[in-house]
Amino acid sequence: MKLEKEKADRREKKKKKSKHSSKDRDKGSELNGKHKSSSKMKRSESPSGVRSLMLMSFSSAVKYEAGDSDTHEDVKVDPDERNDGRQKSGSPEINNNREKADDGHQCDSLKMKKKRVKDEKQEKNQSSSRKRKKTSSEHDKTEKKKIKKDGEQEEKKKERGKKDEESEKWKWWEEGKSSDTQKWSSLEHKGPYFPPEYEPLPDNICFKYDGQPVKLSPVTEEIATFYAKMLDHEYTSKDVFQNNFFSDWREEMTKEERKQIKTLSKCDFTQIHKYFVEKSEERKNMTKEEKQVLKEEASRLMEEYGFCLLDGHREKIGNFKLEPPGLFRGRGEHPKMGKLKKRIQPEDVTINCSQDSKIPTPPAGHRWKRVQHDNTVTWLASWLENIHGRPKYIMLNPSSKLKGEKDWQKYETARQLKMKVDSIRKQYRRDWTSREMKIRQRGVAIYFIDKLALRAGNEKDDESADTVGCCSLRVEHITLHRRLDAQEHVVEFDFLGKDSIRYYNKVPVEKQVFKNLKLFIKHKDPEDDLFDRITTVKLNKTLNECMPGLTAKVFRTFNASTTLQDQLNKLTTEGMTVEEKILSYNRANRAVAILCNHQRAAPKTFERSMQLLQEKIQKKKEQIEDAKKELKEAKKAHKDAPSDKSKKLLEKKEKAVQRLSDQLKKLQLQETDREENKVIALGTSKLNYLDPRISVAWCKKHQVPIEKIYNKTQRDKFAWAIDMTDENFQF
């Protein structure tokens, strides 16, 4: 009995362990019978109860092995069966069989559990994977929809903003012309923005003199950096530039520095130059975030200093930033190149604003030179620059009312000249035969201004660049040819015009003009004035007597606008594509630029850009050849076996050839346009001498988008013309 009890205790412990395993396994299963049997075991603590439980477990194990585990029910044991079990329990054979059955049951249960756990885990992983894929796909679709929606909302926002901006834009031209004397009633602004103070070089960057490091004072060091930054520029190789720089630099040095630094040739700026080259590269390689910070700072400055209130309207200021100190360059061989442009201080600046406005606050520790309230001028601030001693101004943006009114009046005056020009031409022709030399010279000068669109020219001092206009021409600037290139009475002009741009032209002139020129140069040296009896002031006075407001510049504007109008009427025909119309416009504009001598040097990137364009053209030609071969094959296939499918394919190939041909034509037009405009500056005449109403009317008449002719800045400048002009306007 003792042995039997010990065995029963061991089996009971095993059953408890099996019970816990069964509980875990049966949570998601249908094996409820075993669970209930285990519950009954808890209530049965006597040995007979244990034996009964063993019998039930054995019976269940048999059923499980037979495949009935999913359908078995709770086993009910009556008292007789319990007694039989108790009697049989003493048999060693039965006990061994029971132990084997129990061990087999536990082993099978453990295997099934592991398999079920593994299957559940795999199914769970697969489900999670499918769910993740589905979620990821749905997320991507949602993101795409969100991006698309955001893009559409952004576009709508921009459109609304554009419409709001257009609706809020001040249409000053609808209010009528303002007074000629009073330019504004109220004017308020923040004053100019001063460049930041000089930041000294790091200690490891030094200037060397005669091979030895020299510690410079902040002022001297700052001027040294101006020269160091230009070491790789051709200016620093010119003697005039070097001499002017060194002279002005020594004036700013301390006494000790002047004693030590005596010649420019012993100065070594290479470390400073290298430092600024590296800084420049750092700026170029800035991250998007760093560039965004700079952009936001620029926007902040624009918002604070870039606008003013003019008669209650918010107007944009043109140049609100004062020019930082540096070295003067000039154009051409300017005698003052290399001189120091000094830092402008608040004490140098005069502020102009209305009396009842808030006066701009000067930088801390400074004060303005003067504050005035003059509404007869259009500038906001003024100072004298130290190179020429001339005043410089902060003005409003070209899109402002004051600038727009001035432009509008300029072109209206030029249009008025159209009604007077015939009588003026008759008058200067009569002047050619006057007995008075002054009148003859005036008549020939006005003829040149009219026919050649020459500038009037101003008197120059010895320290200015040697540029000339009509009234300041010298004998050396013209050559007379009785016959040249199958033309008679030819005048050859060769001189430097505005901005030191060379004017070279061979022009046949009237016989009487040719005779007068021979008379004007007689007994004169090459350096003598051609028109020695007249001045620009006297010439403009005479023109003003012919028509109020008439000057040499008005003549130039009149001839430029008339040329554009005539050329557009001549070059634009029906049936042209938009690209062909734009080419015609640029050719008309080019005729004006040539008349006004608006030249430029070929851009540095010209050759490379033309090469890329030619490569595109060649590639497009190859694509057309391939498309034509495919079209030929499609035609043959359709001819051999006609069908709807072959017909659609044929139409598709025909459209492809046509599309590629149009693209090729567009590229070829671009090539022609670029080549023709290589050394011609079209922008100068477009912005300053051509009545914008001519271009606007042409665009509206020939259905050319105004954006193809004027960019955003130019459209803002000429908003008045775009708004008021219809397609029937003629200059």
Side-chain angles (χ1 to χ4, degrees), residues 672-706:
T672 303
D673 199 28
R674 285 190 192 179
E675 184 62 44
E676 290 178 353
N677 295 327
K678 181 179 178 180
V679 292
I680 301 295
L682 300 182
T684 307
S685 52
K686 188 191 288 186
L687 291 178
N688 300 299
Y689 292 101
L690 299 178
D691 190 330
R693 292 171 292 184
I694 301 171
S695 301
V696 173
W698 179 82
C699 286
K700 290 181 178 179
K701 183 176 181 179
H702 297 284
Q703 289 81 50
V704 177
I706 194 70

Side-chain angles (χ1 to χ4, degrees), residues 65 87 129 163 181-182 264 299 305 312 376 390 438 446 453 469 474 486 501 590 620 663 671 731:
E65 289 174 359
Q87 290 169 0
S129 177
K163 288 179 182 178
T181 54
Q182 183 177 326
L264 184 61
S299 298
Y305 294 95
T376 64
R390 296 172 187 163
K438 179 176 71 174
I446 296 175
R474 297 193 294 271
I501 294 175
R590 183 161 48 256
K620 195 63 66 177
Q663 291 172 353
E671 182 185 27
F731 183 78

